[in-house]
Amino acid sequence: MYCKAGDNLKENPDQKTAAKAAFNADLVKLDFPVFQANPDLIYFDNASTTQKPASVIETIENYYRKNCANAGRASYLWSSQLEAALEDTRAAVAAFLSVPEKSDQVVFTGGATDSLNTVTMAWALANLQDGDEVLLCPKDHKSAVLPWYHCKELLAAMGKHIKIRHFDIHEVGDYDLKSIKSQVSDKTRVLVMAHVHHVYGLDMEVSEIREIVGTDVIISLDASQSVGHTKVDANALPVDFISFSGHKMFAAPGTGVLYAGDRVKGQLQPLRLGGKSKAVIENDSLKINSNSVCEILESGTQNIPGILSLKPAIEYINKIGLENIEAHVSKLTVDLWQKLMPLPNIEFAPGIGICACDKGWGIISFRFKGISSSDLGFALDEEKIFVRTGDHCVWNKAEAEPDFLRVSMHAYNSPDDVEQFVQVLADIVDS
Ligand SMILES: Cc1ncc(COP(=O)(O)O)c(C=O)c1O
């Protein structure tokens, strides 16, 4: 047990406090074979990808070792069992998103990038009109930004000219609400945003943004950095599309999810057709025989073991307790920020280091005056500490935070990891 928590948390708030106190990251670590193989590893690159618990690895291994087949394509048992297991996984994802009755609106994709591109290719191409406007932040991950420029070009080739307008990041690291207010107009059809930012690590205030843009605007939410850290509740979030990757929430790479909300579910066009598609050709024309979002958008042989890994990943998160992960990671983030602050010549990127909030999402970006963060990254690697450096997947140099190092933490990171990291960092920058 990681904590004395579990199902009773909701009933008894005192127990919730006890659970937080008892959360033990070292016990969590025991569930991740990579830490047994590398006991000295301090893995601080979780915003890039997470390590995998044994249950996820077993699921993937079992597929290859024990019942490797295609799903639902044949009459033998393995095939139908795999199809049932995929649908079971879809139901688990729908429940994880608090929409158990809407599993047909949960689409399996190849990752967040694929999900975000599906929004533009399957929805925007078919629904945007000449003169429509899209609002996005150029400092968001380029997987959220670039698909809209691609879509703009494709629409232009079809004779429809849309405009992409930018809104800014506020100096503390969340979106500048004033700039959203100044950009929104009656031509705005779509707003694209992150739930938690991948460099600044703040909750980007989706409800406030919905209030500003009004109810008519379609919001596409990139939940890549919030999923597995906090509840991503498709009922409560005032958005139309939710995209995320499996590999950032303990599941396999090459697997992701797109959730299409009620307003847009009838507006989607197939993106790729093939095996599995419920499509026929009648009188030389294509006819799609399904209203189900996942049947419209999924086709061909998918990443079966990757998709199957989503279920044990969700079960693992539920076993530890999402609220416990959120509280633990927040505490670690505040702790790390307070320990980093006294280091000489440190400069924080926007985020907790600037806004000084008492809640964190595991992400802190910073640099040291006069020291290259890439060099620092290499020096940390020698000490078996993995952090992110580079352009942080922001689409051009002008928008990227110059040369910041990003630490990103998760459930298995401990206060000792933080302590050791700051000590090693202090020694490196001192030398
Ligand atoms: C905020 C955000 N969006 C999208 C992505 C793209 O995810 P993937 O590479 O899994 O498609 C990432 C990955 O780092 C991300 O951090």
Side-chain angles (χ1 to χ4, degrees):
M1 288 285 284
Y2 308 96
C3 58
K4 301 180 190 100
D7 296 336
N8 301 331
L9 286 182
K10 283 185 197 91
E11 279 102 61
N12 186 345
D14 290 342
Q15 247 174 318
K16 190 166 152 184
T17 316
K20 279 182 191 170
F23 189 94
N24 186 337
D26 290 327
L27 291 181
V28 177
K29 250 181 205 166
L30 292 178
D31 293 328
F32 291 74
V34 75
F35 294 115
Q36 269 98 73
N38 302 277
D40 300 334
L41 173 66
I42 297 183
Y43 187 75
F44 272 174
D45 198 17
N46 292 284
S48 187
T49 198
T50 55
Q51 300 301 331
K52 316 302 171 205
S55 55
V56 163
I57 297 168
E58 267 162 36
T59 300
I60 297 166
E61 206 181 327
N62 281 345
Y63 170 77
Y64 289 118
R65 284 188 185 279
K66 297 187 181 163
N67 60 350
C68 180
N70 210 329
R73 301 280 174 94
S75 46
Y76 54 84
L77 196 59
W78 283 12
S79 181
S80 52
Q81 280 174 339
L82 277 169
E83 182 65 8
L86 290 179
E87 289 317 306
D88 213 29
T89 303
R90 199 186 304 281
V93 174
F96 187 58
L97 297 175
S98 303
V99 283
E101 72 292 0
K102 296 181 183 175
S103 59
D104 68 320
Q105 289 165 242
V106 169
V107 182
F108 294 130
T109 67
T113 302
D114 194 23
S115 303
L116 292 158
N117 276 275
T118 301
V119 174
T120 55
M121 294 295 112
W123 180 82
L125 275 188
N127 289 280
L128 291 189
Q129 301 303 331
D130 203 36
D132 284 347
E133 295 189 356
V134 175
L135 297 189
L136 57 79
C137 177
K139 288 183 185 292
D140 278 348
H141 195 285
K142 58 185 172 190
S143 294
V145 172
L146 296 180
W148 289 97
Y149 280 88
H150 183 211
C151 175
K152 181 181 164 190
E153 291 199 353
L154 293 175
L155 281 168
M158 293 156 63
K160 295 179 185 176
H161 298 275
I162 64 164
K163 189 170 178 108
I164 298 179
R165 289 185 176 275
H166 290 175
F167 54 90
D168 301 327
I169 290 283
H170 187 270
E171 61 189 26
V172 301
D174 50 7
Y175 295 128
D176 181 349
L177 301 182
K178 272 199 204 133
S179 104
I180 297 180
K181 276 182 199 153
S182 73
Q183 293 298 325
V184 71
S185 75
D186 56 4
K187 293 187 184 143
T188 309
R189 286 291 308 284
V190 183
L191 181 135
V192 186
M193 63 176 291
H195 195 191
V196 168
H197 198 274
H198 70 294
V199 182
Y200 310 128
L202 297 183
D203 174 345
M204 304 305 270
E205 303 173 316
V206 59
S207 297
E208 289 181 47
I209 288 168
R210 168 57 80 197
E211 256 180 48
I212 293 170
V213 299
T215 50
D216 289 347
V217 170
I218 298 298
I219 296 187
S220 171
L221 186 75
D222 181 355
S224 301
Q225 296 300 342
S226 53
V227 75
H229 283 267
T230 190
K231 186 82 193 153
V232 176
D233 184 326
N235 269 328
L237 287 164
V239 302
D240 298 283
F241 291 106
I242 300 174
S243 299
F244 58 88
S245 301
H247 69 96
K248 295 184 201 282
M249 50 167 281
F250 308 136
T255 309
V257 169
L258 173 65
Y259 172 76
D262 292 346
R263 264 212 293 203
V264 288
K265 69 176 185 181
Q267 302 176 349
L268 293 152
Q269 291 299 317
L271 172 55
R272 49 179 90 82
L273 290 158
K276 227 182 143 183
S277 292
K278 297 260 184 328
V280 290
I281 299 165
E282 274 180 12
N283 302 325
D284 214 23
S285 298
L286 186 69
K287 188 162 174 260
I288 309 294
N289 285 330
S290 176
N291 292 322
S292 145
V293 175
C294 57
E295 286 182 353
I296 291 170
L297 293 181
E298 292 175 16
S299 73
T301 302
Q302 293 174 290
N303 177 354
I304 298 168
I307 294 171
L308 293 178
S309 77
L310 282 164
K311 190 167 176 231
I314 288 170
E315 285 166 353
Y316 188 76
I317 289 167
N318 290 340
K319 188 171 113 183
I320 312 180
L322 200 48
E323 291 175 60
N324 296 323
I325 296 176
E326 185 171 338
H328 167 71
V329 170
S330 180
K331 196 163 174 296
L332 276 187
T333 318
V334 175
D335 187 28
L336 173 60
W337 161 55
Q338 287 173 343
K339 288 192 161 70
L340 286 172
M341 251 193 313
L343 295 185
N345 296 322
I346 192 163
E347 292 179 339
F348 288 99
I352 192 168
I354 302 287
C355 72
C357 14
D358 58 2
K359 169 116 190 146
W361 300 92
I363 293 175
I364 306 187
S365 301
F366 56 91
R367 65 184 171 194
F368 291 89
K369 251 185 248 152
I371 302 179
S372 141
S373 291
S374 302
D375 290 350
L376 209 47
F378 287 123
L380 288 166
D381 178 38
E382 284 183 9
E383 303 295 327
K384 218 67 205 271
I385 299 174
F386 297 176
V387 296
R388 174 72 195 257
T389 52
D391 69 359
H392 301 289
C393 289
V394 173
W395 72 298
N396 74 4
K397 277 209 167 82
E399 301 295 347
E401 292 299 334
D403 200 30
F404 275 100
L405 178 157
R406 179 187 69 189
V407 167
S408 54
M409 298 178 285
H410 218 312
Y412 36 64
N413 292 124
S414 65
D416 276 355
D417 289 347
V418 168
E419 184 85 43
Q420 226 177 303
F421 168 67
V422 176
Q423 189 57 57
V424 169
L425 197 60
D427 290 348
I428 296 172
V429 297
D430 224 22
S431 61

